Amino acid sequence: NFNFFSDFTNETDHLSLILFSVVGGLCLASYTNFVMFFLGIEILSIPMYVLAGSNKRNLESNEAALKYFLMGSFATGVMLFGIVLIYGTTGTFDLYTMRMKVSSEGFVATPMFTVGIVMLMAAMAFKTASAPFHFWAPDVYSGSPTSVTAFMASFVKVAAFAALMRLFYTALPSVPGAYPNLLLLLIIASLFIGNIIAAYQTNTKRMLAYSSISHAGFLMMAILCFSNTQSIHALFFYAAAYAITSLAAFMVLKIVGENGGGEDIASFQGLVKRNPLLAGTMTVAMLSMAGIPPVSGFFAKYYMLSLAISNGYTWVAVIGILASLVGVYYYFKVIIAMFSKQGEAEAISTSVLQKVILVVLNIAVIGMGLISAIY
């Protein structure tokens, strides 16, 4: 039977850690005060440090936990320093009070305030695995148990972007200064670095890790154009589509790995003959991540590119399209491997529960795209 916690030695402890992370994510999506923002980050992050190293007999898992903890702790320190500088300028931790002060006519963006914004953005770029603060992601994604990686790539990333959108949309709607240029730097770096390096990967987990960096670049477009509710809708549609697609891809990777396959793209050779449902699910996931219609990933990217163009960032949309073309190359490497011929290979059997979950994920990925096409 399929067990999400089959990577772990103590299911109860790991379930508790995941629930703690979920609570932290909910705090990040609903905070109105920087104190709750910090608590949400810590409640989300600390259990993830433990979960990354939960495969205690695997040196790569131990290395992933150590890297994630050390770099995450440093990013948290930078974030706190930035919050202190912002507080020193505005005199409040409350987002709505901060909004009133920042939007007032007499407000001046002092160097201390600007440095605080820059430090806060750098810390959140780490949490969202955006370039050039992405160096932890490939090693942590590949070293962590596949179940933990799936949770990182879906829930943790969505929660971090929800917190970032809430910060700019609620507290800093009209911040003067150079922060749009910083966002542009994060977007361009994430799109280019994520897609180009992913094209050279042979390990599927590392490929998906670099892919997540490129998707962070698309999600940052909504933060750049946060002036209306359309940006919020685009952000959460993209986040939902990416999260569901990631869960589908990592579930297939987990099942293939449990049945004698590795994490390399070569492990998917001839998968369509070994298990058509797994091959079909992975194909749908790769097409969605590549932005091929009519699956949800196409409309998610369409909404983001339309948002960028409508806000005067046409050149950013062009870069996004070019980067997506690179993404098509490495996503199709997996699809080609699954449908390529292979010698005699054992069939991969799946339980009823596995089949149900795979079918539901397929319906969700395709259904979101069809609904978007209709409405």
Side-chain angles (χ1 to χ4, degrees):
N1 291 330
F2 176 70
N3 186 353
F4 182 84
F5 302 101
S6 60
D7 292 323
F8 309 139
T9 55
N10 192 318
E11 297 181 9
T12 305
D13 293 346
H14 291 86
L15 177 60
S16 301
L17 291 170
I18 287 176
L19 291 176
F20 273 115
S21 290
V22 170
V23 171
L26 295 176
C27 291
L28 288 178
S30 59
Y31 73 97
T32 59
N33 191 289
F34 269 130
V35 175
M36 186 55 68
F37 170 72
F38 170 70
L39 290 176
I41 286 286
E42 292 304 288
I43 295 172
L44 174 72
S45 300
I46 292 175
M48 295 309 304
Y49 302 150
V50 180
L51 288 170
S54 55
N55 190 355
K56 293 175 288 186
R57 299 178 183 86
N58 189 327
L59 291 178
E60 290 185 356
S61 180
N62 296 332
E63 179 185 353
L66 183 61
K67 287 184 177 179
Y68 197 18
F69 170 70
L70 292 177
M71 300 184 71
S73 301
F74 181 76
T76 301
V78 173
M79 179 191 71
L80 283 175
F81 198 5
I83 291 175
V84 169
L85 294 177
I86 295 173
Y87 173 79
T89 305
T90 60
T92 182
F93 286 128
D94 184 75
L95 297 189
Y96 292 100
T97 305
M98 188 178 299
R99 178 191 182 101
M100 294 175 59
K101 293 190 176 184
V102 171
S103 303
S104 62
E105 295 182 0
F107 179 78
V108 177
T110 62
M112 183 170 68
F113 180 80
T114 302
V115 172
I117 292 293
V118 171
M119 297 184 76
L120 185 58
M121 288 176 59
M124 291 308 297
F126 173 88
K127 299 297 182 182
T128 58
S130 301
F133 303 95
H134 65 284
F135 296 103
W136 62 274
D139 291 336
V140 174
Y141 272 45
S142 60
S144 301
T146 305
S147 303
V148 176
T149 306
F151 188 71
M152 285 182 189
S154 55
F155 181 81
V156 174
K157 184 176 285 287
V158 171
F161 272 103
L164 198 56
M165 173 59 83
R166 190 167 186 83
L167 171 65
F168 282 102
Y169 190 81
T170 303
L172 309 171
S174 57
V175 182
Y179 82 93
N181 295 330
L182 295 174
L183 284 172
L184 287 172
L185 176 63
L186 293 175
I187 292 170
I188 295 170
S190 298
L191 290 174
F192 275 112
I193 293 175
N195 282 295
I196 292 175
I197 299 182
Y200 289 94
Q201 302 302 310
T202 57
N203 182 287
T204 310
K205 260 191 179 182
R206 293 187 71 87
M207 185 200 76
L208 292 174
Y210 283 107
S211 166
S212 73
I213 296 167
S214 69
H215 287 290
F218 275 99
L219 287 163
M220 279 287 180
M221 292 183 188
I223 308 297
L224 179 67
C225 311
F226 67 93
S227 58
N228 52 51
T229 55
Q230 181 185 0
S231 60
I232 297 179
H233 297 157
L235 175 72
F236 282 103
F237 183 86
Y238 197 112
Y242 171 72
I244 295 172
T245 303
S246 293
L247 288 175
F250 280 110
M251 181 175 178
V252 174
L253 181 61
K254 178 179 173 63
I255 295 174
V256 171
E258 290 176 345
N259 285 269
E263 296 176 354
D264 289 342
I265 295 176
S267 301
F268 292 90
Q269 291 280 349
L271 184 61
V272 67
K273 295 181 179 179
R274 302 168 65 191
N275 190 305
L277 180 58
L278 291 177
T281 302
M282 197 64 168
T283 300
V284 170
M286 294 296 100
L287 292 176
S288 181
M289 288 188 177
I292 306 297
V295 289
S296 58
F298 167 77
F299 292 97
K301 290 187 176 181
Y302 170 77
Y303 292 149
M304 286 298 180
L305 296 174
S306 299
L307 185 65
I309 293 172
S310 63
N311 283 269
Y313 295 102
T314 305
W315 62 277
V316 176
V318 172
I319 292 175
I321 293 171
L322 295 176
S324 296
L325 293 178
V326 179
V328 171
Y329 164 73
Y330 60 80
Y331 289 127
F332 269 75
K333 286 200 302 185
V334 180
I335 297 176
I336 292 171
M338 290 188 296
F339 287 86
S340 63
K341 293 182 180 180
Q342 189 188 33
E344 296 183 2
E346 295 184 4
I348 298 177
S349 60
T350 51
S351 66
V352 175
L353 179 59
Q354 287 176 330
K355 293 176 181 177
V356 170
I357 295 175
L358 291 169
V359 170
V360 169
L361 290 173
N362 279 319
I363 292 174
V365 173
I366 298 173
M368 287 179 65
L370 295 178
I371 293 172
S372 299
I374 295 172
Y375 296 101

